[in-house]
């Protein structure tokens, strides 16, 4: 194998418990976003544009969709003679353990994968975030600082700081302290979960950590604090731009809505930084004479005969005549009948919404985001009752 | 073991789409918001499991080569076989072949190396969802030398005038081939026959100075050959003039027509990574096809927008076809217009054509 300067390891194994409903049968990085993407498209496309051509994708929870989605990585220019994208599920080891025990353990169990490329640096990425970043600039910064580890950071509000791993730095951006989800944050500098390590150093810490069963085998809780305590040079790399941790139904909905203003902070239409994705192969969308579309994103293959306002429609969605959809995210191949009302909702893939159905937040909680999923019994009951109540009237 | 190999023959297709074929051959003309005309026959061959395709090109094929690449979107990037784009070869002084027979003569290796025993021949001007496997099965059942694909056109238009007609009897056999436009069976420039027989007939045709396989080998020998006719019943259109291109495009705005072409089976095309179309606050879109990458803040009615078109506030587009990456400025009025790629219409301009004769702007023009 040819030596690589950088190998990226993409942690795509989490379920994302707060996205329950969307991730019951789907790993979180495989969740749909932005009318045409999946969350994992963002780190993979960032690697592609940054000149990183060797990526290990660590899967664990419900990996089948991710495996078939990524394939040989040709959509991200990763189908390489030397390098490429490799999906790395957990496997049984001598000691009988199977599942990855934590983020650091996932990397530890794939030492052989990384060692074969003998990289100078290893970039650890999360598959859970939506952002565009040139990792090559971070690498340049990392080398300039002669850092053992560089962590990408972003400024967040004081409110948000309580749910992130916070980083405290001196005036040179050198890190002197970590605070994991602090109740009283000392700063507003949050870790983005993007770490760039010297591989030889990281390797030694992983080997040592593996010998301690009483730890979490986690970068944020174990590896990074250990490095700091040992006096290693850790630097923060300031990132400015759109970055979203879509950890909840509300934040996923919010991130989709962020795209609908005229000049969104996340510019997906930059020809120099395309977000690559698997092509669903659909014809141009059709807006019928009875269709009305405003302040929305509509993907190819959709047929719109009703009204769509301030919403995101993924590919292959059908909207019947007389239906009204507002402030909603409609995932691929949903079929919406006629005279349906959908408000502040996320409708999951392949759902069929019967004529005259009403989906939206309850009157007592009008700002709630409703998730309509095929596995959600309450929604099915709601749909049936809406249909039957109309039948009674008619 | 592959049953079929494909020939897509562009040799005799004239560049008849005015400005749209100034810089590209007809097969590479953009169509239906996302596609090029070649995509339909490529996709039909793909769905039939054909993995060896020879594409005989003649002129202005750069755009076509860029679009097709090595055929990956149609699964034609193979270790064995795949897509071969075959331009004319002018090197052999002793070669007496002409027209498409020259393509066949100069590319005998393609036919000999392919393991398939039967060929499917097609052009790119007939848009359809024909099932070549079904044609092949029918061909075997009929025990014919060659099977021609046709469709019945009961309300012919100007574009059908130049189409070959067939007389087909009740047993499905072709009794005559001519240009008498009073007959409704329109030959779709698609046929299936055994490869060995095809090469044998081609050889004979070359020896007798022929340049057009269908005309000189099949049509002229129609009374000696056992010719079957396969009737195709699905969506069909012929695009062989600017007017037929415009009318066929506008007809796709009928949902039944749109569904009959696109919902039966997938039409594959070159992959582009574009964001979904964005409709802004002043967007007023009605009866339109819209591709990804568009940003719309004006009125669009009875029109087709290709990838990456920008429609500014106050603009009005009616009965028009706007190709990739055009920019339509504020308060522009367009009616019965075809804009080729990368055209810019700056604010307040007005362009109008007639519904029978659309006004066409060639690519890269700014107004």
């Amino acid at each position: 194998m040819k030596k690589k300067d950088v190998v990226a390891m993409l942690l795509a194994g989490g379920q994302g418990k707060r996205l329950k409903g969307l991730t019951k049968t789907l790993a979180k990085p495989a969740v749909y976003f932005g009318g045409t993407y999946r969350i994992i498209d963002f780190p993979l496309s960032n690697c592609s544009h940054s000149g990183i051509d060797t990526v290990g994708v660590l899967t664990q929870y419900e990996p089948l969709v991710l495996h078939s989605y990524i394939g040989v990585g040709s959509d991200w220019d990763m189908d390489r003679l030397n390098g490429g994208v490799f999906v790395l599920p957990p496997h049984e080891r001598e000691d009988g353990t199977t599942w990855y025990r934590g983020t650091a353990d996932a990397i530890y169990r794939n030492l052989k994968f990384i060692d074969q490329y003998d990289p100078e640096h290893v970039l650890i990425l999360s598959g859970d975030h939506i952002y565009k970043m040139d990792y090559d600039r971070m690498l340049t910064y990392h080398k300039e600082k002669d850092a053992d580890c560089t962590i990408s950071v972003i400024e967040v509000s004081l409110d948000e700081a309580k749910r992130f791993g916070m980083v405290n730095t001196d005036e040179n951006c050198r890190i002197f302290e970590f605070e994991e989800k602090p109740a009283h944050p000392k700063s507003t500098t949050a870790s983005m979960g993007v770490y760039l390590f010297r591989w030889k150093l990281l390797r030694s810490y992983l080997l040592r950590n593996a010998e301690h069963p009483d730890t979490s085998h986690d970068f944020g809780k174990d590896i990074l604090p250990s490095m700091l305590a040992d006096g290693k040079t850790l630097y923060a790399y300031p990132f400015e731009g759109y970055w979203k941790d879509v950890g909840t139904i509300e934040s996923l909905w919010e991130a989709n809505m962020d795209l609908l203003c005229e000049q969104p902070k996340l510019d997906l239409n930059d020809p120099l930084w395309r977000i690559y994705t698997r092509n669903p192969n659909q014809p141009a969308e059709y807006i019928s004479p009875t269709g009305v579309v405003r302040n929305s994103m509509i993907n190819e293959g959709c047929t719109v005969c009703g009204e769509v306002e301030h919403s995101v429609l993924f590919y292959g969605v059908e909207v019947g005549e007389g239906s009204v959809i507002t402030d909603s995210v409609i995932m691929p191949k949903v079929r919406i009948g006629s005279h349906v009302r959908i408000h502040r909702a996320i409708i999951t893939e392949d759902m069929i919404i019967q004529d005259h159905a009403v989906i939206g937040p309850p009157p007592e909680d009008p700002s709630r985001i409703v998730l309509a999923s095929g596995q959600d019994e309450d929604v099915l009951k709601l749909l049936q009752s809406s249909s039957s109540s109309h039948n009674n009237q008619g | 073991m592959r049953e079929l190999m494909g020939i897509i023959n562009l040799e005799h297709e004239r560049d008849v789409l005015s400005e749209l074929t100034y810089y590209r051959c007809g097969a590479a003309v953009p169509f239906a918001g996302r596609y090029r005309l070649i995509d339909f026959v490529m996709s039909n061959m793909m769905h039939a499991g054909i993995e060896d395709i020879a594409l005989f090109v003649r002129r202005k094929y750069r755009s076509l080569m860029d679009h097709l690449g090595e055929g990956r979107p149609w699964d034609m990037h193979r270790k064995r076989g795949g897509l071969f784009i075959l331009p004319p070869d002018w090197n052999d002084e002793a070669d007496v072949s002409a027209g498409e027979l020259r393509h066949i003569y100069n590319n005998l290796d393609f036919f000999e190396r392919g393991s398939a025993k039967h060929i499917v021949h097609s052009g790119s001007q007939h848009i359809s969802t024909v099932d070549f496997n079904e044609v092949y099965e029918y061909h075997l059942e009929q025990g014919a030398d060659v099977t021609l694909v046709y469709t019945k056109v009961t309300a012919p238009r100007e574009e059908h005038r130049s189409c070959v007609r067939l007389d087909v009897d009740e047993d499905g056999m072709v009794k005559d081939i001519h240009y008498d436009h009073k007959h409704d069976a329109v030959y779709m420039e698609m046929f299936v026959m055994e490869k060995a027989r095809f090469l044998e007939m081609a050889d004979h045709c070359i020896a007798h100075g022929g340049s057009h396989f269908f005309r000189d080998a099949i049509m002229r020998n129609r009374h000696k050959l056992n010719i079957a006719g396969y009737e195709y019943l699905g969506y069909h259109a012929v695009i062989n003039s600017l007017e037929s291109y415009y009318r066929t495009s506008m007809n796709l705005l009928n949902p039944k027509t749109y569904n009959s072409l696109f919902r039966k089976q997938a039409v594959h095309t070159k992959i582009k990574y574009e964001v979904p179309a964005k409709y802004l606050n002043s967007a007023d879109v009605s009866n339109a096809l819209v591709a990804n990458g568009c940003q719309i803040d004006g009125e669009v009615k009875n029109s087709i927008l290709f990838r990456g078109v920008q429609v500014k506030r106050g603009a009005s587009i009616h009965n028009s076809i706007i190709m990739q990456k055009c920019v339509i400025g504020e308060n522009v009025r367009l009616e019965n217009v075809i804009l080729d790629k990368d055209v810019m219409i700056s604010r307040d301009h007005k362009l109008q054509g007639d519904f029978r004769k659309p006004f066409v702007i060639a690519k890269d023009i700014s107004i």
Side-chain angles (χ1 to χ4, degrees), chain B residues 238-249:
Chain B
V238 192
I239 296 179
N240 57 18
S241 66
L242 187 71
E243 292 73 26
S244 62
Y245 172 82
Y246 180 68
R247 193 183 321 101
T248 300
S249 298

Side-chain angles (χ1 to χ4, degrees), chain B residues 146-165:
Chain B
V146 56
T147 295
L148 310 180
V149 180
Y150 72 95
T151 191
K152 290 194 172 169
V153 176
T154 53
R157 300 191 214 257
E158 191 61 34
E159 62 261 28
H160 299 111
R161 187 163 289 270
S162 60
C163 294
V164 170
R165 306 309 170 96

Side-chain angles (χ1 to χ4, degrees), chain B residues 244-298:
Chain B
S244 62
Y245 172 82
Y246 180 68
R247 193 183 321 101
T248 300
S249 298
M250 292 296 111
N251 285 346
L252 288 176
L253 296 172
N254 180 318
K256 279 192 190 122
T257 307
Y258 175 90
N259 288 330
S260 65
L261 179 55
F262 294 121
R263 299 305 184 197
K264 185 190 170 195
Q265 65 186 11
V267 184
H268 290 250
T269 188
K270 184 181 184 182
I271 293 166
K272 287 287 185 177
Y273 299 97
E274 290 277 5
V275 296
K278 194 164 188 182
Y279 299 71
L280 301 177
N281 192 54
S282 299
D284 180 4
V285 181
S286 178
N287 203 37
L289 290 190
V290 180
N292 276 0
C294 287
Q295 182 153 302
I296 304 170
D297 206 11

Side-chain angles (χ1 to χ4, degrees), chain A residues 167-373:
Chain A
V167 173
N168 295 322
T169 68
D170 66 18
E171 63 277 6
N172 290 316
C173 289
R174 184 163 173 178
I175 299 167
F176 62 82
E177 189 181 31
F178 292 112
E179 291 182 297
E180 193 69 16
K181 295 175 181 162
H184 303 288
K186 294 177 189 171
S187 79
T188 53
T189 306
S191 166
M192 292 164 61
V194 177
Y195 313 126
L196 191 46
F197 291 98
R198 261 194 244 278
W199 170 234
K200 283 182 167 48
L201 182 75
L202 175 59
R203 197 177 190 284
S204 65
Y205 273 81
L206 293 172
L207 287 166
R208 196 195 310 169
N209 181 257
E211 300 304 317
H212 292 84
D214 57 323
T215 70
S216 306
H217 308 290
D218 185 88
F219 282 105
K221 292 173 187 151
D222 302 308
I223 302 293
L224 293 170
S226 288
M227 285 189 175
L228 196 60
D230 294 348
K232 300 302 175 185
T233 54
L234 282 75
Y235 279 89
Y237 171 73
F239 174 76
E240 287 163 22
Y242 184 93
W243 178 81
K244 198 89 172 184
D245 177 6
V246 288
T248 63
I249 297 294
E250 285 72 26
S251 60
L252 178 68
W253 177 85
E254 231 170 72
N256 278 282
M257 296 296 115
D258 286 346
L259 298 173
L260 296 178
C261 62
E262 194 150 341
Q263 302 288 340
K265 282 180 189 164
L266 179 64
D267 178 15
L268 296 174
N269 215 353
D270 180 358
L272 298 180
W273 205 276
R274 291 284 178 209
I275 305 301
Y276 302 129
T277 185
R278 177 58 65 89
N279 177 45
N281 196 62
Q282 296 279 338
E285 72 229 37
Y286 177 64
I287 312 299
S288 87
T290 57
V292 179
V293 184
R294 247 192 308 275
N295 297 309
S296 297
M297 289 177 88
I298 314 284
N299 201 355
E300 287 169 342
C302 287
T303 301
V304 179
C305 301
E307 187 176 330
V308 178
E309 171 86 34
H310 202 252
S311 296
V312 176
L313 268 59
F314 284 72
Y315 64 85
V317 171
E318 292 174 24
V319 179
E321 201 168 317
S323 292
V324 178
I325 298 168
T326 52
D327 298 347
S328 296
V329 179
I330 316 295
M331 289 188 174
K333 294 176 287 184
V334 167
R335 282 153 56 199
I336 297 170
S338 58
H339 304 285
V340 170
R341 181 73 177 98
I342 298 177
H343 181 58
R344 289 181 76 83
I346 296 176
I347 313 293
T348 62
E349 186 176 16
D350 289 319
M351 287 275 290
I352 297 173
I353 312 295
Q354 304 290 348
D355 296 350
H356 302 283
V358 177
I359 299 175
E364 62 270 16
D365 187 10
S367 65
R368 189 169 119 200
I369 306 304
V370 175
L371 175 69
S373 162

